[in-house]
Amino acid sequence: MAKRNDEAETETTEYAKRKTAPTESQTKNQPALAALILALLEEHPMHVYGMHKLMLERRLDHLVNIERRNSVQQVLNRLHREGHVETADGKTGRRIVYRITDTGRALFYDWLRTEISRPRTEYPRFTAAVSLLGLLLPTEAIDLLAARRADLHDASAHLKEELTQGKFLPEVLTLEVDFRLTTTQVEIDWLDRVIARLDSKQLTWEREDLLALSTATHLPKE
């Protein structure tokens, strides 16, 4: 009898795991903002106003677009419809308090482990713009790349300041800032090399020649 009960309990546990386990599609299609919302609710229940305020205080607006609180509310509403968050008992004034569910927790940790362990092909706008740089004159390209470098230099200074201010925190909490600083510096180094080659005329082009080359490459064969 005890064995049968153990088997029934095991089946119930396995069913619960299957019920809460996210599908690969669910994990892959979750935007970063959804993951950040779930992470905050993993800390404790909160309403959307407090969530948005905390995101801004933690400078998460550098990671996702949360300029408007409505952006957070829309993603939160979807998570609620899908059963990943639920309303907690009671309200704070007229503000609804939300908390994470078991399915939401499973989805969050699956997303986190997947994003940490597997590189994903992303489509940054700057990379797309660089692929079209030949449509500009080299002299204009120099000015535009130099302007970008100046902005990145300022961003790098701010990131260094953030690291200095956060030196009293556990290092794991500032790894994101360190990563952004490192990648920013890598881009600055790349810009320095390209700008130097443009200045020295080692890198140059004629827009018309590139357009003609493109046209010739795609002419239909007779």
Side-chain angles (χ1 to χ4, degrees):
M1 187 67 172
K3 182 178 180 181
R4 186 176 300 172
N5 289 338
D6 289 342
E7 290 175 350
E9 184 177 346
T10 300
E11 289 179 2
T12 301
T13 301
E14 290 302 317
Y15 173 76
K17 287 181 179 178
R18 290 195 299 272
K19 187 177 179 181
T20 59
T23 65
E24 182 178 350
S25 177
Q26 284 179 315
T27 300
K28 182 178 180 181
N29 294 325
Q30 288 305 315
L33 179 53
L36 291 176
I37 289 173
L38 293 173
L40 291 179
L41 294 179
E42 174 73 335
E43 295 181 19
H44 58 79
M46 62 183 77
H47 50 69
V48 68
Y49 175 82
M51 192 179 302
H52 184 252
K53 184 171 181 288
L54 188 58
M55 285 181 170
L56 293 176
E57 289 175 354
R58 295 183 179 181
R59 308 296 300 275
L60 299 183
D61 53 320
H62 290 288
L63 307 179
V64 291
N65 184 4
I66 52 172
E67 182 178 355
R68 297 182 179 179
R69 188 166 70 243
N70 189 50
S71 301
V72 179
Q73 184 69 69
Q74 288 177 351
V75 176
L76 186 59
N77 289 344
R78 180 179 61 77
L79 291 171
H80 184 254
R81 289 195 304 270
E82 295 174 353
H84 302 308
V85 303
E86 62 186 6
T87 56
D89 294 333
K91 296 183 179 180
T92 304
R94 291 183 297 172
R95 299 185 182 122
I96 301 173
V97 176
Y98 296 89
R99 64 186 173 201
I100 193 169
T101 63
D102 288 341
T103 58
R105 187 171 289 108
L107 176 65
F108 166 67
Y109 283 104
D110 195 56
W111 178 93
L112 180 59
R113 292 183 176 107
T114 299
E115 294 298 326
I116 292 292
S117 63
R118 299 178 189 172
R120 178 198 288 253
T121 301
E122 299 185 31
Y123 306 96
R125 296 159 66 97
F126 177 61
T127 305
V130 169
S131 73
L132 304 172
L133 193 64
L135 295 178
L136 300 174
L137 296 174
T139 50
E140 184 181 9
I142 293 175
D143 293 339
L144 295 173
L145 293 173
R148 183 182 183 89
R149 189 203 180 283
D151 284 348
L152 288 175
H153 180 75
D154 291 342
S156 177
H158 289 306
L159 290 170
K160 289 176 182 177
E161 184 179 349
E162 278 192 56
L163 281 179
T164 300
Q165 293 174 348
K167 63 183 178 182
F168 63 92
L169 295 171
E171 185 180 356
V172 68
L173 297 181
T174 59
L175 283 179
E176 167 261 320
V177 180
D178 180 59
F179 177 76
R180 286 164 51 207
L181 176 60
T182 300
T183 54
T184 298
Q185 190 56 57
V186 167
E187 185 174 336
I188 289 174
D189 292 343
W190 180 85
L191 287 168
D192 284 342
R193 291 197 301 273
V194 174
I195 291 171
R197 295 187 68 223
L198 284 166
D199 276 333
S200 65
K201 301 294 191 297
Q202 288 180 303
L203 172 62
T204 190
W205 60 86
E206 292 292 338
R207 181 178 182 276
E208 291 72 18
D209 291 345
L210 294 178
L211 289 173
L213 178 63
S214 176
T215 302
T217 302
H218 293 90
L219 282 176
K221 294 181 179 180
E222 295 184 356

